[in-house]
Amino acid sequence: MSSEIVGILDYGAGNFGSVQRAIAALNVEAKAIRTAEELFHVSRLIFPGVGTAKQAMRELTTRNLAEPLKEFAKNGRPLLGICVGMQVLGEWSEEGDTECLGLLPFRVEKFRCKEPVPHMGWNSIVWNSSHDNFVCAQRNLSQDANFYFVHSYAAFVGKEMPTLPEFVLGETSYGGQNFAALVSRQNIWGAQCHIEKSGRVGLQFIENFLRWRNV
Amino acid sequence: MLKKRIIPCLDINEGRVTKGIEFKNNVDVGDPVELSCYYSDNGADEIVIYDISASAQGRPPDYATIEAIAAKSFVPICIGGGVREFTDAARCILSGAEKISLNSIAPKKPQLIREIADHFGVQAVVLSLDVLKDASCPSGYRLFIHGGRSATEWDMMNWLDFAIPFGVGELCVNSIDQDGKRSGYDLEILKLIKAHAQIPVIMSGGAGCAEHIIDACVSGADAALVASIVHSGEVTICELKNQMSKRGLSVRLDW
């Protein structure tokens, strides 16, 4: 592909506008992508999402976008899912017992803790500094940078695990449960937090994703 | 660790930010878009916009202003005032808001809480309540509506027991007695509510210095709404947070 074309998937997700405004603030032009045909012409994609995993998968299926999205990712083109957009990159979500895209090997479950759910507010991320994309992803961000979260479901990281799964770029703890706050495997990226609403820190993370190149 | 939030509140009247004392005598503070941008760049964890004339004039929120704010302020935005129907709420969210604050409309139309929560999630619904001390109420506080001008039949705690199950994600509690007086939040209300409700509580009305905010957070508040104290320029959100941090409260200090 000769030149970079950034797309934002427009499939009815409520935070599409916020993501669009965030990209505009970075002085990057991005196209709204509504069909598989349009998706074919972009080189990099941001995949927003709010609401439920079931709703998101239903919308993707109805609009014939689920398979093209998988193809997009398998072709090595960079893809960043946000919030529910990240959750559906996994295999399955407990929310509505939903089969997801299966691009990353995680399952999404509901918080089971004494703290109020949703986990809502600003929280920090413990970065996985041995991750392949760490240097690119964390560029210009401090170790204790805070991100804005709103979610009732998450890809939990078992505390008994000796090491983090290789795709976990950063984890966060809430109510005694650890979950994947940022995920990435080569070109496939996801953020559980609302990076489009996490101030300068969030915009920086989006910029870092936009700079990522397959080396 | 989840951070305690500082939320500047912008009361908008005829397109300008104003601030009153005990909900009266409003003075001009500035332009809503400029102020929101300034606050979001300088440590605000969220921004609350109350269109204080929308309800009174029977008009919907000013969507153009919400959009202009959202184009420059990349923190969560909560809109209050003028939301009467689900479609008003949906349009606020499409314009760039994350949350809808319901106040006067909620006792008249509690199902609106459910409609918004069902569609956007409970975190999108903030139940805002203006309460005034009233010894004749079992909890000691009475619910008021219309910017504190009209008393309702509701005792504060009875109202919360009734309203929260409709799908309230967060409470914003304004003490009319304390509003704009800068003598501290009413911590009695906070204790009553925290002992009872499992959802985040934003304290509003009465902050005069960092110590007041620290007291509220130590007593269980999840966030503090600030207006006069920051609009006047005598203290910045950054200074407030530094003081909170020194007292062992977890706050967001990088932005």
Side-chain angles (χ1 to χ4, degrees), chain A residues 14 18 21-22 25 116 118-124 142 144-146 148 150 174 196-201 203, chain B residues 1-3 5 45-46 67 70-71 73-77 94-96 98-99 122-123 170 198 200 252-255:
Chain A
S18 299
R21 283 183 283 269
H119 167 225
M120 193 265 306
W122 294 84
N123 214 329
S124 54
S142 75
D144 50 4
N146 286 283
Y148 186 74
V150 180
Y174 180 68
E196 78 282 15
K197 281 286 173 172
S198 296
R200 188 201 60 81
V201 161
L203 296 182
Chain B
M1 194 175 192
L2 203 57
K3 306 298 181 288
R5 288 169 283 151
D45 296 312
E46 208 165 304
E67 247 177 74
S73 308
F74 297 97
V75 296
I77 296 165
L94 276 179
S95 303
E98 273 64 42
K99 304 180 184 187
V122 295
Q123 83 287 340
E170 205 170 8
Q198 292 300 309
R252 182 177 72 110
L253 290 169
D254 62 297
W255 51 79

Side-chain angles (χ1 to χ4, degrees), chain B residues 12 30 67 140 162 226-227:
Chain B
I12 299 187
E67 247 177 74
F162 173 79
V226 290

Side-chain angles (χ1 to χ4, degrees), chain A residues 21-137:
Chain A
R21 283 183 283 269
I23 304 285
L26 292 169
N27 291 317
V28 172
E29 241 182 86
K31 283 186 169 175
I33 303 302
R34 298 186 183 87
T35 63
E37 167 67 18
E38 288 171 346
L39 182 61
F40 185 75
H41 295 286
V42 300
S43 53
R44 194 176 292 256
L45 186 75
I46 299 187
F47 175 24
V50 284
T52 69
K54 193 168 192 77
Q55 206 182 320
M57 284 308 296
R58 197 192 293 134
E59 289 297 328
L60 290 177
T61 310
T62 311
R63 294 163 199 244
N64 293 316
L65 284 165
E67 287 307 316
L69 258 180
K70 288 189 210 175
E71 281 305 306
F72 184 93
K74 283 173 185 163
N75 290 338
R77 285 185 273 180
L79 165 73
L80 168 62
I82 301 175
C83 197
V84 171
M86 169 211 149
Q87 293 181 354
V88 299
L89 298 178
E91 288 163 353
W92 174 83
S93 173
E94 184 185 349
E95 194 171 25
D97 187 13
T98 306
E99 285 298 320
C100 297
L101 296 168
L103 292 167
L104 289 174
F106 64 79
R107 292 162 71 84
V108 169
E109 291 170 60
K110 197 170 181 19
F111 272 105
R112 288 180 176 84
C113 64
K114 283 183 186 147
E115 298 296 317
V117 171
H119 167 225
M120 193 265 306
W122 294 84
N123 214 329
S124 54
I125 290 176
V126 178
W127 293 80
N128 176 5
S129 58
S130 60
H131 193 286
D132 288 345
N133 287 338
F134 169 72
V135 173
C136 173

